Amino acid sequence: MALPKRIIKETERLMADPAPGISATPHDDNLRYFDVIIAGPNQSPFEGGVFKLELFLPEDYPMAPPKVRFMTKIYHPNIDKLGRICLDILKDKWSPALQIRTVLLSVQALLSSPNPDDPLANDVAQHWKENENAAIQTAQEWTRKYATA
Amino acid sequence: MATSRPIPEHLLPLSAVLGPEVDVATLEKLHALSRGDVTAAINHYFEGTYLTAAIPAPPPGPRPGSIASSPSRQRQLPSRNAADLTLDDLETPQAADSPNQKKRKVHDSFFPKFLGELTIVAYALGGMVKVKAGDQVRFERSKPNPQLQLGRKRGAGSGSASSGWGGRAMKENNVVRFTTMAGFEIGRLQVDTSRWVSKVMDYGLAEFQGTIILAPPILCTGAEIVLTMKCYLTAAAFKALGGNSSAFTGKSKAMANDRLETVHELDLKYRKYAINVLFRELALTPVATNSPAGPRDVNVELFSSTPEESSVANGDEDEEEKEPEVSDKELDVLYEKAQQHGREFEPMDAPLSMTYTLKPYQQQALAWMYYKECSQSKDEHQTLHPLWEEYEFKTEDGQDIRSDDPKRYYFNPYSSELSLEFPTSDSLCRGGILADEMGLGKTIETLSLVHTNKFDRSTLDTPEQAFARLSTSNTAPRRLSPTTLIICPMSLLSQWRDEAVNSSDGSLGVEVYYGSSRDWTDETLIQRDAPDVLITSYGTVMSEYASLIGGQDSSKPTDLEDVRTQNKWKKGSALFNVEFHRVVLDEAHQIKGRNTKTAKACYAIDAARRWVLTGTPIQNKLEDLFSLVHFLRSEPWSNFSFWRTFITIPFESKDKDKAMKVVTSVLEPLVLRRTKSTKDEYGRPIISLPERVIDIEYLEFSEPENDIYQALFKDGKTKFNHYCRAGTVLRHYASIFQLLMRMRQVCDHPFLVVGAHKDKETESLKDGPIHLDELMAKFSGEGEGQESFGASVLQGLKTGAVAECPVCLEDMDGGVLLPCMHAACRGCVVDFLQAQDDAGKQGECPICRQGPITEDDLIEYTTSEVKSEVKSEVSDVVAGNILGGQQGGGSERVIQIRRNNFKSSSKLDALMRHLNRIRKEEPRTKSVVFSQFTGMLDLAEGVLERDGFQFLRLDGTHSQASREKTLQFFKDPDHPALVILISLRAGGVGLNLTAASRVYMLDPWWNYAVESQAIDRVHRIGQVRPVVVKRFIIQGSVEEKILAIQGRKNALASGLGMTKAESQGARMEDLQEIFS
């Protein structure tokens, strides 16, 4: 099936005018598959880290949300160890008016403000709730350990 | 033995009364005196008057009187010396179509004229007579005086003997005996010979003289005698067939309707038979024929062996429906000759008063038409009439030949007429059939003729003179009008007027005679300032004719003459009161039914020059052509019985080839036909139209459409199978067609069939556009923030900033506004709402998630540029609301907003896909959309409005004025309407739609010719761009099967001609295929 115009347009715009701290590059052999790199936001436990993600646009995109997953290990209450992300717009709050860019910006924002009240990784969330400073410290360690090139 | 001579049979009654002592000579004289009346003869005898009385001439002479038993027979069989006959004597007033019109004195003794001789074998009856070789014998009919009619000459005194032929049931008597010159019976002819000889003798066509060649010395019964028979044509044979001709003239209508064979017709048939066999037996061969069939094969009888049989065969002639159709291949053959035409004419330039430049082939047409109108009288080389054959008289030894005697004679084997005059094929018809294929410019060609061959107006009265004459004298006005009357279908009135006006440098007076603009009377039409061209419609002509004829029997054309004289001054009969300079029927196949009122009205128009324009002179029956020829008054073909005898009947029977050849010979001088593929003398096509591509686009049903279709199909199939099993398919034809119709409609749009939805649909259509200002007002009444956003969105629409759809990221065209005033493509929003619904969620705005919303809450809007100056014109023709504020530069942005609850269909989606693309890529390209269902056109209006198209529409409900206006708009390249919706039926004829170069056929018709004709409205002369045609077909539906049937042609086709038995088998097959 030919690639919908929308995907081509989004890709072009991502390349021409990337969002700060975010890059997304489609695979040559599959234009629905993107290699994504998100820089850890400043003043967050992930600052200085470079996180790799993968993003896939399913067949019924944009009616269905893209699938996004962290490839780089990250210590975050809303991201589990398989890299899966708990973000409402990636699930039932998806709208076709959203785009790759907005999704990735949301992910970036999620790094800035973890939400332990709606956890995916329960142990991390627990840690975050009980001792936020220690949790942040662990996150910083993980970032140094796994997310620095 | 009482007498020395046997008493001839016809004298027996007399002899029985007067007794044996009265000798034969006396009896003979008495018989002659009394003209066969026994009572009178007896009176003569007893009064003794016979002794002094002179026997009425011509005297029977030495011959036994049997042949001369009635005076009428005496005239028909004059002896060689009874030299008192000229052709003039015998001529009855001649019909115009009889070829031997000029009377010519032939020397008294010319008849009987030797024709030829043959040898026959006869057998003896036994008797006392001795004959030897060289003896002369005399032939006589054994039963005297069978009651015959020849022409109108019925023997007055023979009433009592009216036994013989009155009823055909009676076994007729063919016996021919021969006797010695003295009257003694020798024998009789064999049955084969006597069958025709008896007829020849009965009709007095010829006399025979026999000579015995071989005879046995003793004539026992049955002995063979070999004879030569010399045959002499009588003057009577050359007599014009009085009754015949009258049957062939004006009253033919009555004849045509009356299929019963009259006694007269039967006579003709026998005569025809007799004379044809005579010619065959004498082995006469024509020295010249002009028959397109080549020399006639004399061995082929024109009648199946005997007249009796043939009369039975023709007796049950059926109504004309039975007439077989002419196949395409046969049509090609017919037209072939007509296509050769015109090339031999030097192209002729139109006069300077004509502003158009003619193409070379049009110049040829002009030359041909001009020739047909003018040069016929000058035509020096006369050609032999195609039905006649030329023969040379043989000379008989010892006969004196006078130098002024005719050397040749002419024989018409079809009518059995003989003539000494050269029968020419020259017809008085000035005009013909211009049958160029559609698009070649028949209109222009005709107008060029109008320009070229004008009426000499100096012979006409000026209005002042007319007034003077009217007021001073009572003499009947001359009825000659300088006007060319053009009769065309209503829809073409304006086209003709425009073409006529545009073709002229202003010197041509053009007027329309239609509706209320009928202020021409017969008086003004014959004045000097009468228009050159008067255009009227078939309907007008028909209604004027009907009111003119009134209660009279319109089947009798002669009545018109009376009506004319009576109603000379009556207003409203102008068309029929003058003789036009020329009359032209456009789309003349309109009069193909010769019994329709329209056809009769057209026949009644008087004009010296008569033209017929049609792309299809023969639509499917040969008789289609007859009506045209009849209108042209091209004798003798314009006569129905003539036509029927020589064309229809042979075509119906085995003699198809002959009929086709005759038709070709009829067509050849009358018809000029070129097609788009006709080549000029250099082999180049005479006309090169831009390319035409016809694509079939296969579409698929959407799921709900398919459900509806399958339900209908199943229902139809069940019913059909039920009828099949019951063998009542044909009886339920109408209901099957109903089923088929509904299946076809579903292919277009389910709303066409599903009534409930339809109501809702039309309601919503009525709902119509929403006023933008109302919307703005509504939003300004709401919350502060909303107002500013909603207002800014609407303001954005007004200024024409094209927004990107947030979903597909493309420019929004045909976008929708959500209640929250967010906008997106209609399709994107609908898809999203559908997805939400599938997920079990309520609809919401994809942008702001405001909800819940449904499709019905969407508000459509479209924007398009419209030049402001045409706006006001548009509004009353084009549906749809146009509003919006002024934008600079004389152009304004029009925003149309309407509620979205319109359901499209696969067909309509495909149509809009094409139209939207075209609008984007080639914004000035115009398109024509055809459908046979006006309901479908209504629905198409809906989608066109939705997507912001301006459009025009043409269907049967439109008045002439609005049709005209519509076509004018469509022609105008600056008019904003790019699409015209036309019902297939209304748009079939004549329209010129060359402004468009895209054609969309929403549904297939049974007969592809109808579609093709519609396409040709666009792909015709004047078209400069390539034409792309899309035919939408739903895959796997009845439409696909219709395509297959179109390919086979025989079909249910031919426009639901449900009465033809012969095609029923084929139609059953079609139905079975459809419901398989």
Side-chain angles (χ1 to χ4, degrees):
Chain A
M1 190 179 146
L3 208 61
K5 245 191 177 156
R6 156 153 176 168
I7 296 181
I8 295 169
K9 263 198 171 152
E10 278 199 64
T11 310
E12 280 169 3
R13 288 181 191 175
L14 279 171
M15 310 299 267
D17 177 26
I22 296 172
S23 91
T25 322
H27 278 203
D28 288 341
D29 55 346
N30 185 354
L31 295 172
R32 290 176 174 272
Y33 192 91
F34 289 77
D35 288 327
V36 178
I37 293 169
I38 296 179
N42 291 341
Q43 277 117 45
S44 81
F46 311 102
E47 187 174 351
V50 175
F51 296 89
K52 284 189 189 166
L53 297 90
E54 62 174 9
L55 182 145
F56 179 71
L57 304 175
E59 192 62 43
D60 43 356
Y61 179 83
M63 288 306 147
K67 297 186 188 322
V68 190
R69 188 172 76 97
F70 272 83
M71 307 293 284
T72 307
K73 265 174 88 88
I74 184 167
Y75 197 75
H76 192 287
N78 306 104
I79 299 163
D80 71 5
K81 41 180 189 267
L82 295 174
R84 293 182 297 191
I85 306 166
C86 176
L87 189 60
D88 58 355
I89 60 158
L90 289 177
K91 299 187 177 95
D92 57 335
K93 290 291 186 208
W94 169 254
S95 151
L98 298 168
Q99 302 179 15
I100 299 174
R101 171 196 295 265
T102 46
V103 166
L104 295 180
L105 283 170
S106 300
V107 173
Q108 200 181 33
L110 189 65
L111 297 185
S112 294
S113 46
N115 180 7
D117 294 333
D118 181 20
L120 190 63
N122 280 324
D123 48 337
V124 179
Q126 197 68 30
H127 192 198
W128 222 276
K129 277 186 179 167
E130 285 167 4
N131 188 348
E132 191 173 344
N133 285 342
I136 290 173
Q137 212 164 4
T138 314
Q140 285 169 336
E141 276 168 31
W142 280 43
T143 305
R144 270 197 302 281
K145 203 168 168 188
Y146 302 109
T148 40
Chain B
M1 278 237 197
T3 57
S4 57
R5 290 165 58 178
I7 296 171
E9 222 171 319
H10 68 283
L11 297 178
L12 282 175
L14 201 52
S15 172
V17 175
L18 300 179
E21 56 275 81
V22 182
D23 66 12
V24 173
T26 312
L27 287 175
E28 199 71 64
K29 189 172 179 182
L30 284 170
H31 185 86
L33 266 176
S34 61
R35 300 174 178 244
D37 185 333
V38 177
T39 318
I42 295 165
N43 289 341
H44 276 302
Y45 180 76
F46 287 109
E47 287 163 17
T49 45
Y50 74 98
L51 295 170
T52 51
I55 292 172
R63 63 167 64 191
S66 64
I67 293 173
S69 55
S70 85
S72 67
R73 297 212 58 75
Q74 283 176 14
R75 301 228 30 205
Q76 287 157 18
L77 293 178
S79 74
R80 298 196 64 187
N81 302 324
D84 55 347
L85 283 170
T86 67
L87 276 182
D88 286 0
D89 276 345
L90 295 161
E91 233 136 14
T92 50
Q94 292 234 355
D97 59 350
S98 178
N100 42 358
Q101 272 173 328
K102 284 169 280 173
K103 295 183 179 178
R104 173 166 164 181
K105 279 272 182 193
V106 178
H107 197 275
D108 290 353
S109 61
F110 184 69
F111 288 111
K113 177 70 185 166
F114 178 66
L115 187 63
E117 65 176 39
L118 74 161
T119 305
I120 56 163
V121 176
Y123 54 88
L125 286 174
M128 315 310 287
V129 194
K130 284 211 165 131
V131 291
K132 60 180 189 305
D135 278 1
Q136 300 272 306
V137 296
R138 184 183 298 286
F139 297 93
E140 61 184 59
R141 295 278 282 118
S142 69
K143 257 270 172 56
N145 202 20
Q147 190 56 46
L148 287 181
Q149 299 163 261
L150 186 68
R152 300 203 178 95
K153 296 191 168 208
R154 178 188 279 246
S158 54
S160 58
S162 57
S163 49
W165 290 55
R168 258 200 284 161
M170 224 158 147
K171 179 77 184 153
E172 58 178 301
N173 170 358
N174 288 329
V175 177
V176 178
R177 294 167 210 257
F178 56 100
T179 66
T180 62
M181 294 311 277
F184 296 101
E185 186 174 82
I186 304 169
R188 52 188 283 186
L189 302 186
Q190 286 184 339
V191 180
D192 284 355
T193 325
S194 67
R195 185 183 290 144
W196 61 269
V197 172
S198 63
K199 294 285 186 291
V200 172
M201 292 176 70
D202 290 346
Y203 285 94
L205 302 173
E207 290 172 38
F208 296 100
Q209 276 190 348
T211 309
I212 290 174
I213 293 182
L214 192 66
I218 296 163
L219 292 179
C220 47
T221 305
E224 286 193 346
I225 303 172
V226 181
L227 299 165
T228 60
M229 284 174 90
K230 281 186 179 177
C231 176
Y232 299 88
L233 279 180
T234 62
F238 282 88
K239 192 173 78 73
L241 297 176
N244 188 10
S245 349
S246 80
F248 278 175
T249 46
K251 284 134 204 141
S252 59
K253 278 282 169 284
M255 286 275 302
N257 295 331
D258 177 12
R259 297 290 157 86
L260 285 175
E261 277 188 308
T262 61
V263 178
H264 174 74
E265 281 175 320
L266 198 61
D267 272 354
L268 267 180
K269 198 164 280 172
Y270 284 128
R271 177 185 153 120
K272 219 179 322 190
Y273 161 78
I275 202 157
N276 272 290
V277 182
L278 174 67
F279 270 63
R280 188 188 65 187
E281 291 295 324
L282 292 175
L284 298 177
T285 47
V287 294
T289 68
N290 192 23
S291 164
R296 190 167 52 91
D297 181 357
V298 289
N299 288 318
V300 177
E301 285 192 38
L302 285 168
F303 308 93
S304 45
S305 65
T306 64
E308 287 80 11
E309 282 171 37
S310 74
S311 71
V312 170
N314 291 335
D316 58 355
E317 288 152 7
D318 223 314
E319 61 278 22
E320 53 194 276
E321 252 104 282
K322 243 187 129 182
E323 190 192 351
E325 297 198 351
V326 185
S327 73
D328 284 357
K329 212 174 132 202
E330 286 162 338
L331 272 183
D332 288 346
V333 174
L334 283 184
Y335 289 148
E336 200 182 340
K337 266 219 156 150
Q339 295 198 9
Q340 307 301 322
H341 243 335
R343 259 195 234 170
E344 63 254 37
F345 290 95
E346 273 301 303
M348 184 170 165
D349 243 328
L352 290 174
S353 65
M354 176 122 176
T355 53
Y356 290 168
T357 335
L358 295 183
K359 299 201 170 61
Y361 72 90
Q362 291 174 332
Q363 293 177 340
Q364 278 171 340
L366 173 59
W368 176 77
M369 292 173 90
Y370 187 69
Y371 168 82
K372 290 296 290 178
E373 284 200 346
C374 298
S375 56
Q376 231 151 35
S377 48
K378 297 178 229 151
D379 195 359
E380 288 301 321
H381 66 283
Q382 290 185 319
T383 49
L384 185 63
H385 192 287
L387 295 181
W388 289 74
E389 296 169 347
E390 184 176 295
Y391 291 86
E392 239 164 14
F393 279 120
K394 293 181 180 171
T395 47
E396 189 186 14
D397 299 336
Q399 195 189 8
D400 359 318
I401 298 162
R402 268 177 295 269
S403 54
D404 58 341
D405 274 351
K407 303 279 184 299
R408 290 158 192 275
Y409 62 103
Y410 303 90
F411 170 50
N412 181 340
Y414 303 93
S415 68
S416 80
E417 279 178 293
L418 286 160
S419 168
L420 292 171
E421 300 298 331
F422 184 82
T424 63
S425 62
D426 172 82
S427 55
L428 293 170
C429 153
R430 289 178 169 199
I433 302 172
L434 183 58
D436 280 353
E437 214 177 43
M438 190 167 40
L440 288 181
K442 290 189 284 288
T443 308
I444 305 284
E445 288 164 5
T446 308
L447 287 171
S448 72
L449 179 72
V450 172
H451 279 278
T452 307
N453 195 9
K454 282 191 180 167
F455 191 85
D456 180 9
R457 283 166 187 263
S458 59
T459 60
L460 294 177
D461 290 340
T462 59
E464 296 77 37
Q465 284 169 328
F467 181 76
R469 183 172 48 73
L470 262 182
S471 48
T472 54
S473 79
N474 282 325
T475 53
R478 289 174 57 210
R479 296 172 44 239
L480 280 183
S481 163
T483 302
T484 293
L485 179 71
I486 290 169
I487 307 175
C488 63
M490 182 189 77
S491 58
L492 299 179
L493 282 175
S494 56
Q495 203 166 314
W496 267 100
R497 188 199 49 222
D498 295 350
E499 292 275 18
V501 170
N502 293 342
S503 77
S504 154
D505 58 0
S507 60
L508 202 69
V510 180
E511 296 291 343
V512 172
Y513 188 84
Y514 177 79
S516 54
S517 61
R518 284 195 274 174
D519 44 4
W520 293 95
T521 65
D522 45 351
E523 259 312 295
T524 47
L525 276 176
I526 61 172
Q527 285 171 14
R528 197 177 286 178
D529 56 354
D532 291 284
V533 177
L534 187 64
I535 305 163
T536 189
S537 72
Y538 283 104
T540 307
V541 173
M542 194 265 277
S543 66
E544 291 216 351
Y545 180 74
S547 68
L548 194 62
I549 290 299
Q552 309 220 19
D553 180 4
S554 56
S555 70
K556 291 182 198 156
T558 43
D559 288 350
L560 189 63
E561 207 48 54
D562 306 337
V563 174
R564 251 182 209 142
T565 36
Q566 288 158 16
N567 295 348
K568 193 123 242 163
W569 306 107
K570 186 177 156 189
K571 193 170 154 52
S573 56
L575 294 180
F576 298 95
N577 260 347
V578 298
E579 180 180 336
F580 286 100
H581 178 54
R582 182 185 292 111
V583 61
V584 178
L585 296 191
D586 190 22
E587 301 291 346
H589 42 260
Q590 302 246 345
I591 64 157
K592 68 176 176 166
R594 69 192 155 83
N595 283 324
T596 59
K597 271 199 193 116
T598 308
K600 284 175 180 167
C602 291
Y603 299 156
I605 299 267
D606 220 352
R609 293 158 197 81
R610 311 176 73 86
W611 288 98
V612 154
L613 314 184
T614 171
T616 49
I618 301 176
Q619 283 208 313
N620 35 33
K621 287 185 287 185
L622 280 178
E623 281 184 17
D624 297 349
L625 185 59
F626 166 75
S627 187
L628 304 186
V629 173
H630 186 76
F631 167 79
L632 294 177
R633 302 186 181 168
S634 164
E635 302 286 356
W637 299 108
S638 58
N639 180 286
F640 186 68
S641 22
F642 208 83
W643 181 275
R644 195 168 167 79
T645 313
F646 299 124
I647 295 173
T648 311
I649 292 173
F651 190 76
E652 280 168 354
S653 56
K654 297 147 235 154
D655 228 355
K656 219 171 180 175
D657 282 355
K658 181 161 232 149
M660 295 303 282
K661 277 166 178 157
V662 175
V663 173
T664 319
S665 82
V666 177
L667 280 179
E668 201 212 323
L670 282 182
V671 178
L672 178 66
R673 177 178 175 85
R674 281 86 50 89
T675 64
K676 284 173 194 158
S677 55
T678 303
K679 308 272 199 299
D680 64 10
E681 64 258 55
Y682 309 109
R684 292 176 311 216
I686 54 167
I687 181 168
S688 48
L689 277 176
E691 201 190 358
R692 182 187 67 181
V693 185
I694 302 182
D695 270 346
I696 296 180
E697 185 161 324
Y698 289 98
L699 306 172
E700 276 175 20
F701 276 133
S702 70
E703 213 170 294
E705 283 169 354
N706 197 40
D707 290 347
I708 297 174
Y709 181 80
Q710 290 306 335
L712 268 178
F713 178 72
K714 248 167 91 183
D715 177 46
K717 189 174 176 172
T718 314
K719 280 189 184 145
F720 179 73
N721 288 341
H722 172 75
Y723 295 145
C724 266
R725 275 194 300 276
T728 55
V729 171
L730 296 173
R731 238 185 294 151
H732 290 97
Y733 223 88
S735 82
I736 291 175
F737 257 87
Q738 180 85 31
L739 290 168
L740 281 176
M741 165 85 93
R742 292 172 64 192
M743 283 161 59
R744 289 162 54 213
Q745 286 177 329
V746 170
C747 292
D748 274 359
H749 199 303
F751 284 177
L752 292 175
V753 194
V754 187
H757 283 101
K758 187 162 182 171
D759 292 343
K760 191 178 154 203
E761 167 57 20
T762 43
E763 207 174 277
S764 76
L765 277 178
K766 268 185 214 137
D767 214 15
I770 303 159
H771 207 283
L772 185 64
D773 294 336
E774 278 171 27
L775 263 183
M776 290 179 91
K778 181 183 154 199
F779 280 108
S780 53
E782 287 176 14
E784 188 68 17
Q786 272 235 310
E787 184 204 358
S788 55
F789 176 66
S792 75
V793 169
L794 293 169
Q795 204 56 51
L797 291 181
K798 270 195 167 183
T799 54
V802 178
E804 179 183 79
C805 166
V807 178
C808 65
L809 305 186
E810 292 187 55
D811 290 349
M812 268 188 289
D813 197 17
V816 289
L817 289 177
L818 294 148
C820 52
M821 293 315 283
H822 285 113
C825 295
R826 186 179 166 278
C828 296
V829 176
V830 170
D831 283 354
F832 175 62
L833 293 178
Q834 186 68 47
Q836 295 278 99
D837 191 46
D838 290 349
K841 288 184 282 190
Q842 281 188 328
E844 57 182 21
C845 169
I847 296 111
C848 66
R849 303 189 197 286
Q850 187 178 318
I853 54 172
T854 67
E855 271 188 58
D856 288 354
D857 295 325
L858 303 183
I859 299 165
E860 307 238 356
Y861 76 92
T862 47
T863 62
S864 51
E865 299 271 347
V866 175
K867 291 233 171 86
S868 56
E869 61 267 22
V870 289
K871 200 189 92 181
S872 53
E873 265 180 83
V874 175
S875 53
D876 61 330
V877 175
V878 181
N881 197 6
I882 297 165
L883 45 92
Q886 288 293 326
Q887 184 81 20
S891 129
E892 73 184 69
R893 184 147 294 274
V894 173
I895 304 164
Q896 294 188 44
I897 296 181
R898 62 190 301 277
R899 276 201 193 284
N900 169 67
N901 47 8
F902 179 78
K903 296 275 191 308
S904 188
S905 74
S906 302
K907 281 260 174 85
L908 290 178
D909 285 345
L911 174 69
M912 293 320 293
R913 208 163 45 235
H914 281 286
L915 288 177
N916 277 318
R917 196 173 55 222
I918 282 287
R919 179 164 64 174
K920 216 168 212 173
E921 291 168 4
E922 305 163 40
R924 292 315 309 162
T925 297
K926 296 199 175 191
S927 306
V928 184
V929 178
F930 284 107
S931 172
Q932 50 196 296
F933 304 112
T934 48
M936 184 61 175
L937 296 181
D938 295 341
L939 293 167
E941 283 191 6
V943 282
L944 284 169
E945 263 173 42
R946 184 195 74 199
D947 286 5
F949 279 88
Q950 300 207 15
F951 55 87
L952 300 162
R953 175 165 170 160
L954 204 64
D955 62 35
T957 62
H958 290 93
S959 72
Q960 172 60 13
S962 91
R963 281 174 82 105
E964 237 175 76
K965 205 165 158 195
T966 305
L967 289 172
Q968 222 171 341
F969 283 154
F970 195 65
K971 221 178 276 178
D972 178 1
D974 292 327
H975 193 274
L978 296 177
V979 180
I980 185 165
L981 302 172
I982 304 184
S983 100
L984 193 63
R985 306 298 188 88
V989 271
L991 299 179
N992 187 338
L993 301 172
T994 47
S997 59
R998 290 285 187 283
V999 182
Y1000 299 96
M1001 314 292 295
L1002 289 181
D1003 30 50
W1005 180 241
W1006 294 109
N1007 187 348
Y1008 179 62
V1010 175
E1011 289 182 59
S1012 155
Q1013 218 194 7
I1015 293 169
D1016 282 349
R1017 298 295 150 203
V1018 176
H1019 191 248
R1020 61 185 287 171
I1021 201 166
Q1023 179 58 266
V1024 289
R1025 284 153 300 184
V1027 174
V1028 179
V1029 183
K1030 295 278 176 205
R1031 300 172 67 200
F1032 296 124
I1033 300 292
I1034 299 280
Q1035 225 157 8
S1037 74
V1038 60
E1039 294 190 334
E1040 234 180 340
K1041 287 167 179 167
I1042 290 174
L1043 279 194
I1045 292 168
Q1046 280 184 352
R1048 280 211 310 278
K1049 154 95 189 167
N1050 57 2
L1052 297 117
S1054 55
L1056 313 185
M1058 290 192 210
T1059 48
K1060 296 186 181 175
E1062 71 263 21
S1063 63
Q1064 277 177 357
R1067 279 184 285 128
M1068 267 301 283
E1069 262 172 49
D1070 290 339
L1071 287 177
Q1072 264 156 358
E1073 189 181 322
I1074 287 170
F1075 288 110
S1076 63

